[in-house]
Amino acid sequence: MSEMNVQPVARRPHLAEHIARSLSEEIASGRLRPGDRLPTEQFLSQNFGVSRNVVREGIATLRAQGLIQSRQGVGVFVSAAAQSPEPLAPRESTPLLDGDNTMRNMFEVRAVLESQAAALAASHMTPHTLKTIQAAVLRMQYEGEPTLDTVNADLDFHRAVAAASGNDYLETMIRTVLEPMRALISMTFARRGPVFSNIPHAARGEHEDLVQAFINRDAEAARRIMGQHIVSAASRFGYEITFF
């Protein structure tokens, strides 16, 4: 295992999420390879500058995503399935994803929250936040079948828009709704066939339309495009919702 690149966490909010994302990036980059043992909780706690409880929460997130696995009495290891950019393997649905009504309701909540976040982001857009949003869109370019990074790029785009809204409460609510969607997106991308493999391309085009609204600082256009994007995304995953 090569030397890891870990940095202390600069912001208090979302510490566990920061830990999970940092470690997943270590895995995606190859610095942590399948079969490698993760550093101890004490090492991660000291290097990230957080408590062990926060480290445990971050590790639990990676375990739920299937990126790592625990071996009793031995430690925590990178899962053999965590090999980006290999095509995503189907995973079992989490309880939160069970039921059409649950998923439809989540898309409806996203349409409400994220359309407002997009409008606020357009009004408050800065060169720095725009660059972050554009970087996520560029990462959605890929050849062949979608990978774990494709999923992360899609979610990172929506998280970046939420952060650009300037409303911490709205950002937190959107992040809470987005994370359970990861399993749905991963499982759908893992299905074979042009209908499913082209989903990221369709989403990327809609994201680019949103970027143009952000460049124009057009709040109403951003609200409308984001709302319609969520409606279209829901439809691609088999759920019909309405955005007013």
Side-chain angles (χ1 to χ4, degrees):
M1 180 179 69
S2 58
E3 184 177 353
M4 289 180 57
N5 178 26
V6 295
Q7 300 292 332
V9 181
R11 293 182 58 198
R12 272 306 290 178
H14 320 302
L15 296 183
E17 182 178 329
H18 175 94
I19 303 301
R21 183 181 299 181
S22 295
L23 291 176
S24 68
E25 289 173 354
E26 294 295 311
I27 294 171
S29 70
R31 287 187 289 268
L32 278 174
R33 297 184 296 273
D36 280 349
R37 180 177 178 177
L38 260 63
T40 64
E41 287 183 4
Q42 180 178 0
F43 174 89
L44 294 174
S45 174
Q46 291 175 347
N47 281 270
F48 281 115
V50 299
S51 70
R52 289 195 181 188
N53 285 338
V54 171
V55 170
R56 292 188 191 107
E57 290 178 24
I59 288 176
T61 297
L62 295 179
R63 187 181 295 111
Q65 294 171 9
L67 295 178
I68 62 173
Q69 57 186 9
S70 300
R71 301 178 190 171
Q72 189 172 5
V74 181
V76 181
F77 295 81
V78 179
S79 170
Q83 300 185 50
S84 179
E86 291 297 321
L88 291 165
R91 293 174 185 154
E92 293 183 0
S93 174
T94 60
L96 185 56
L97 295 176
D98 289 341
D100 287 343
N101 285 337
T102 298
M103 288 311 307
R104 186 177 294 104
N105 290 344
M106 290 180 70
F107 275 115
E108 287 179 345
V109 169
R110 284 188 62 189
V112 172
L113 296 178
E114 295 195 56
S115 60
Q116 177 64 13
L120 290 172
S123 299
H124 302 151
M125 192 58 59
T126 67
H128 174 73
T129 53
L130 180 62
K131 183 178 180 180
T132 301
I133 292 170
Q134 289 174 314
V137 176
L138 290 175
R139 284 170 51 212
M140 292 191 73
Q141 286 183 317
Y142 73 99
E143 295 181 1
E145 297 185 6
T147 67
L148 177 63
D149 190 59
T150 312
V151 178
N152 289 337
D154 191 345
L155 296 180
D156 284 347
F157 172 85
H158 288 274
R159 282 192 288 254
V161 173
S165 73
N167 186 312
D168 290 341
Y169 291 102
L170 185 58
E171 179 186 359
T172 298
M173 293 173 69
I174 290 173
R175 284 174 175 267
T176 300
V177 176
L178 279 177
E179 189 55 39
M181 306 291 291
R182 185 186 301 275
L184 172 70
I185 297 172
S186 298
M187 286 185 294
T188 303
F189 284 2
R191 299 174 187 174
R192 301 299 181 261
V195 173
F196 295 110
S197 63
N198 285 333
I199 285 178
H201 290 301
R204 184 174 184 270
E206 293 162 10
H207 289 181
E208 290 173 339
D209 291 340
L210 269 165
V211 168
Q212 189 59 54
F214 294 146
I215 292 174
N216 296 339
R217 299 179 65 88
D218 189 335
E220 286 306 312
R223 185 196 307 277
R224 173 178 49 79
I225 294 171
M226 177 63 89
Q228 187 56 53
H229 168 56
I230 301 299
V231 171
S232 298
S235 178
R236 287 191 285 268
F237 286 104
Y239 302 97
E240 301 303 319
I241 66 171
T242 302
F243 174 74
F244 297 97

